[in-house]
Amino acid sequence: MSDFDPVEMKRMRWRSRRGLLELDLVLERFLARRFDTLTGDQLLAYRTLLDLPDTDFLEVVNGKVDLDAPELMEIVDMLRAI
Amino acid sequence: MGVPVRRFDAVIVGGGGAGLRAALQLSESGLKTAVLSKVFPTRSHTVAAQGGISASLGNVQEDHWEWHMYDTVKGSDWLGDQDAIEYMCRKAPEAVIELEHFGMPFDRLENGKIYQRPFGGHTQHNGKTPVQRACAAADRTGHAMLHTLYQRNVRANTQFFVEWMALDLIRDADGDVVGVTALEMETGEIYIFHAKAVLFATGGAGRIYSASTNAFINTGDGLGMAVRAGLPLEDMEFWQFHPTGVAGAGVLITEGVRGEGGILLNADGERFMERYAPNLKDLAPRDFVSRSMELEVLEGRGCGPHKDYVLLKLDHLGPDIINQRLPGIREIAIKFAGVDPIKDPIPVIPTCHYMMGGIPTNWRGEVVMPKGGDPESRVNGFYAAGECACASVHGANRLGTNSLLDLVVFGKSAGDHMIDYIRGEMPDWKPLPADAAGPSLARIARLDNQTGGEDVAEVRAAMQRTVQSRAGVFRNAANMALGVEEIAAVAERAKFTQIKDKSKVFNTARTEALELDNLIEIAVATLVAADGRKESRGAHAHDDFPHRDDENWMKHSLFFGEGRRMEYKPVHTRPLTVDYIPPKERTF
Ligand SMILES: Cc1cc2nc3c(=O)[nH]c(=O)nc-3n(C[C@H](O)[C@H](O)[C@H](O)COP(=O)(O)OP(=O)(O)OC[C@H]3O[C@@H](n4cnc5c(N)ncnc54)[C@H](O)[C@@H]3O)c2cc1C
């Protein structure tokens, strides 16, 4: 757990609603299993990922594309494993 | 306590393809236009559309809008309104070329023209041979459309209210629409949006089914708001099942896979569509393919341990075609079906995909309802476009790629007619009725004060199970009658949902409870309308009435929330400029 702004965390929960069912399915599981135990840095990384367009985000989650951003890969790996 | 009021010429609820296309028209004409969206516009469900948008450009093979019109009328199983269908098909080439000029990155032929791919139900010479009519931007057609239209809107000064949820339609004593109430998610505050004209472009409601290709956001809010405001819903018995949803997950495998040569197999390894549709085979219209698949399963030729799905085989296309022409499909199959389609076939089942019914409109985008003997009297100030509207171009069954087309053609048409209405008939705003926000405030207060009620997720799951089992691909009288009773019971439970989180800011639990109110209205409408229609037509396959009955049932249904009653109105049989296409049996 972190001292991340609780309002920001609630905003992130809503922003995990996407235009693609594939992402909804993955992020729903992520919210249920991992989200509440993330560290502040991990939450920041997840927030950055949420800003990706849906189509790009899905390609990252599917492992089709890697991001040139090591600080995001920990969360990406969690999403891929879910 | 005063509810703050914001004033615009036009208020558009929904920032998907339909809402953005309409908004662009209005903003570019200089009218003050607001777009409200639950999510960032480019994350609307339109982003999911991969297959393409149809237009008889004739870039690959000879094509004419009249052939497109014929296919659409036939696809609709003669329930589509032929004036609206003509309008859409005639405008299609212009609409696609306009998107191209807006900068949408379509796939191209070597000669620089837009590439067109084959798709189910698209033919030359009124059903004779398949034709390549679908224009696409790789597998990102919807995404490309949203980005293109969003950028244009920003340039045209459309005002976006992102993460705002519209709650209720405001009608005055004359029945005219004068605005909506909306919840700002970030603060939890309620506002009134006062408008000269309101357009709903809130998309579909596929989440009423448990097996659905639709994202979670597709809760049909516009339809729920319309029913609560006393307006009818049209043709709600017609839901399209996409033949190829990944069994168990719902995730869609685009029809483009079959367009490029993928085939369906049963447990005996037979390409069974050759038996049902000797000409079009795996590319026959969706309802036909879905029903054929369901028959294979019912007759014991399903695959897997429970014999409950069929297989989509594409390994014979080779990795190059799969990777180039169908990017993304491989990853989806691996992640959600656990198979690599380069080697193994994908387990698929018919999955709820598209809502043909919706808020009744005409080809101008005006919402219409019966009044004083006129079955289609205009509701002043109210417009709808896209999947939430029923124009009706898709009738009893939509053709693939006709929805994206519907969004831009009718989004634009609605925008144009709103401009005429606002400039020609509405020099000033009509006053808001007293207590305009009353019903919305009461719903929120009910949720905040509810004790001893049920969990939202539980009630939603009960609704989904009922709709899935009583109004799926195969239907019969006994089953649907049970469904009507069951859904009424679920609707009672929905009145007492309870949420634990009572906070105001980004309260997702509250949002989901409010969405459930909308889903429930649609689930009830679906079952009552399905139970009412005593024939089989398009997506409505009724076991006890296996044939289409044009004499008694070539008519649109209208569901009214009050008393949960049905009325019917005639299908438009007069196109705008060409001859009527009379009904025939649908064979492929
Ligand atoms: C997986 C999939 C693939 C598809 N592929 C194709 C294809 O290839 N070709 C084709 O023609 N069709 C396709 N379709 C169908 C097509 O994508 C949809 O019918 C179409 O995109 C719907 O667009 P829309 O503008 O009506 O609504 P949407 O794009 O769903 O947008 C609805 C908007 O309304 C907003 N909204 C909803 N409720 C509220 C509220 N209460 N308050 C504020 N805002 C609200 C949302 O935030 C969103 O912005 C596909 C559908 C699916 C599910």
Side-chain angles (χ1 to χ4, degrees):
Chain A
M1 280 295 283
S2 68
D3 51 6
F4 213 77
D5 177 8
V7 170
E8 190 55 30
M9 288 183 67
K10 295 188 85 177
R11 187 199 306 271
M12 283 157 71
R13 279 190 177 273
W14 177 250
R15 291 198 178 160
S16 303
R17 277 264 208 123
R18 312 298 291 197
L20 298 174
L21 174 64
E22 292 86 338
L23 285 173
D24 280 344
L25 292 171
V26 172
L27 301 188
E28 183 185 45
R29 282 181 239 160
F30 179 77
L31 290 181
R33 294 183 202 161
R34 309 299 300 255
F35 187 69
D36 285 331
T37 61
L38 298 182
T39 66
D41 283 345
Q42 289 172 327
L43 284 167
L44 271 179
Y46 184 56
R47 191 172 68 182
T48 306
L49 289 170
L50 286 177
D51 283 338
L52 289 175
D54 280 321
T55 39
D56 294 344
F57 196 4
L58 182 60
E59 292 197 331
V60 170
V61 168
N62 279 348
K64 192 168 179 228
V65 166
D66 273 323
L67 289 171
D68 188 17
E71 72 280 10
L72 303 181
M73 288 315 289
E74 190 188 354
I75 298 290
V76 168
D77 287 338
M78 285 185 203
L79 292 170
R80 285 180 182 169
I82 255 171
Chain B
M1 186 185 66
V3 175
V5 178
R6 301 208 176 202
R7 254 190 187 186
F8 290 89
D9 292 315
V11 167
I12 292 177
V13 183
L20 290 178
R21 185 63 195 85
L24 184 59
Q25 209 65 6
L26 288 150
S27 291
E28 282 188 341
S29 85
L31 291 173
K32 197 175 163 205
T33 305
V35 172
L36 276 61
S37 180
K38 289 199 285 192
V39 295
F40 196 76
T42 53
R43 266 177 233 147
S44 300
H45 195 50
T46 296
V47 77
Q50 312 167 316
I53 174 168
S54 51
S56 58
L57 296 169
N59 288 352
V60 178
Q61 291 158 321
E62 186 187 356
D63 202 2
H64 300 287
W65 69 259
E66 291 91 339
W67 294 346
H68 186 182
M69 175 173 174
Y70 178 87
D71 291 341
T72 305
V73 170
K74 178 177 170 185
S76 83
D77 218 355
W78 278 271
L79 192 71
D81 286 332
Q82 295 199 11
D83 50 352
I85 293 176
E86 174 185 335
Y87 186 79
M88 181 178 80
C89 297
R90 195 150 45 83
K91 292 278 181 190
E94 182 184 312
V96 167
I97 286 167
E98 183 182 68
L99 287 170
E100 184 186 27
H101 289 167
F102 286 171
M104 188 163 152
F106 284 107
D107 295 348
R108 291 181 188 285
L109 293 159
E110 274 180 13
N111 66 12
K113 289 188 178 169
I114 296 174
Y115 168 72
Q116 298 187 276
R117 55 163 72 145
F119 223 91
H122 296 175
T123 72
Q124 284 173 321
H125 303 287
N126 300 347
K128 296 249 158 48
T129 41
V131 69
Q132 297 186 218
R133 186 180 289 148
C135 311
D139 64 338
R140 294 185 167 205
T141 312
H143 169 89
M145 177 186 280
L146 284 178
H147 275 263
T148 306
L149 291 174
Y150 179 69
Q151 295 304 338
R152 300 280 302 191
N153 268 290
V154 169
R155 232 167 55 193
N157 284 325
T158 301
Q159 288 191 46
F160 285 96
F161 292 82
V162 176
E163 293 168 344
W164 285 67
M165 180 182 187
L167 298 179
D168 283 292
L169 193 61
I170 304 172
R171 295 178 77 191
D172 69 7
D174 302 325
D176 296 354
V177 168
V178 294
V180 292
T181 53
L183 173 92
E184 184 183 26
M185 294 187 186
E186 183 161 14
T187 60
E189 297 299 332
I190 300 214
Y191 287 75
I192 288 173
F193 282 74
H194 190 191
K196 293 179 176 174
V198 172
L199 172 100
F200 275 6
T202 50
R207 300 306 304 179
I208 66 167
Y209 285 87
S210 38
S212 173
T213 66
N214 286 196
F216 295 174
I217 197 177
N218 276 19
T219 55
D221 297 356
L223 280 73
M225 291 188 264
V227 172
R228 281 195 297 277
L231 299 168
L233 299 180
E234 181 172 340
D235 292 342
M236 290 306 294
E237 59 273 47
F238 298 101
W239 289 84
Q240 180 167 75
F241 283 75
H242 196 291
T244 53
V246 171
V251 172
L252 176 114
I253 304 291
T254 170
E255 208 153 19
V257 169
R258 280 171 291 135
E260 297 290 351
I263 56 173
L264 292 164
L265 302 178
N266 62 19
D268 305 331
E270 182 204 4
R271 185 179 180 187
F272 57 86
M273 284 312 299
E274 284 181 330
R275 213 176 340 113
Y276 294 99
N279 284 329
L280 297 179
K281 298 180 182 142
D282 301 90
L283 288 174
R286 290 179 175 166
D287 59 327
F288 200 84
V289 176
S290 292
R291 237 178 1 248
S292 307
M293 290 167 66
E294 195 82 9
L295 269 175
E296 290 300 298
V297 168
L298 285 176
E299 291 175 3
R301 291 185 295 277
C303 307
H306 304 293
K307 294 180 157 296
D308 54 358
Y309 56 78
V310 300
L311 294 170
L312 176 61
K313 172 179 150 62
L314 52 154
D315 57 284
H316 56 285
L317 302 180
D320 290 351
I321 298 260
I322 294 176
N323 288 327
Q324 280 161 28
R325 286 274 168 82
L326 303 164
I329 293 301
R330 185 167 176 217
E331 289 76 11
I332 284 172
I334 291 172
K335 184 140 189 115
F336 297 100
V339 300
D340 183 349
I342 286 180
K343 290 187 251 132
D344 295 306
I346 310 171
V348 291
I349 52 164
T351 302
C352 170
H353 184 53
Y354 185 85
M355 172 177 82
M356 267 77 73
I359 302 168
T361 67
N362 54 28
W363 63 266
R364 297 180 201 89
E366 297 163 346
V367 175
V368 293
M369 71 182 290
K371 194 175 166 189
D374 176 2
E376 303 195 330
S377 160
R378 184 181 81 176
V379 179
N380 291 325
F382 193 29
Y383 298 77
E387 191 167 338
C388 75
C390 183
S392 146
V393 281
H394 311 299
N397 173 56
R398 172 185 75 109
L399 283 197
T401 70
N402 262 354
S403 172
L404 288 184
L405 178 61
D406 167 359
L407 307 185
V408 287
V409 169
F410 292 108
K412 181 175 181 179
S413 179
D416 279 335
H417 290 95
M418 288 169 81
I419 294 168
D420 289 349
Y421 176 74
I422 292 168
R423 292 240 158 86
E425 300 181 46
M426 292 294 288
D428 208 349
W429 283 263
K430 280 191 94 177
L432 288 165
D435 201 27
S440 301
L441 293 171
R443 279 202 300 138
I444 299 275
R446 198 283 294 163
L447 261 180
D448 285 344
N449 299 322
Q450 184 70 48
T451 51
E454 251 186 295
D455 191 50
V456 171
E458 261 168 45
V459 179
R460 188 174 53 215
M463 170 200 70
Q464 289 172 336
R465 276 195 304 273
T466 303
V467 179
Q468 186 78 30
S469 59
R470 306 296 183 198
V473 174
F474 265 102
R475 301 173 173 191
N476 65 44
N479 206 28
M480 286 187 286
L482 277 175
V484 169
E485 279 174 30
E486 288 167 3
I487 204 67
V490 178
E492 262 321 288
R493 289 163 61 186
K495 287 184 189 156
F496 304 101
T497 49
Q498 191 179 342
I499 50 175
K500 292 196 196 86
D501 181 357
K502 307 271 161 107
S503 66
K504 293 192 105 182
V505 176
F506 275 108
N507 185 338
T508 303
R510 178 154 75 179
T511 306
E512 289 184 356
L514 293 166
E515 288 176 334
L516 180 64
D517 290 349
N518 297 319
L519 284 166
I520 288 281
E521 304 281 5
I522 299 158
V524 171
T526 297
L527 275 150
V528 173
D531 183 52
R533 186 172 287 272
K534 314 279 188 237
E535 65 158 352
S536 288
R537 184 184 295 271
H540 180 68
H542 197 314
D543 240 10
D544 304 310
F545 302 93
H547 300 291
R548 196 177 75 202
D549 175 1
D550 288 330
E551 204 170 309
N552 296 301
W553 286 101
M554 198 201 268
K555 56 189 181 186
H556 296 293
S557 70
L558 293 174
F559 168 87
F560 291 82
E562 204 187 356
R564 297 187 179 152
R565 75 193 154 82
M566 299 301 304
E567 284 184 20
Y568 295 88
K569 67 173 185 179
V571 170
H572 295 192
T573 50
R574 292 178 54 180
L576 299 167
T577 64
V578 292
D579 288 340
Y580 174 53
I581 301 172
K584 278 197 204 145
E585 206 189 331
R586 280 174 81 218
T587 51
F588 307 98

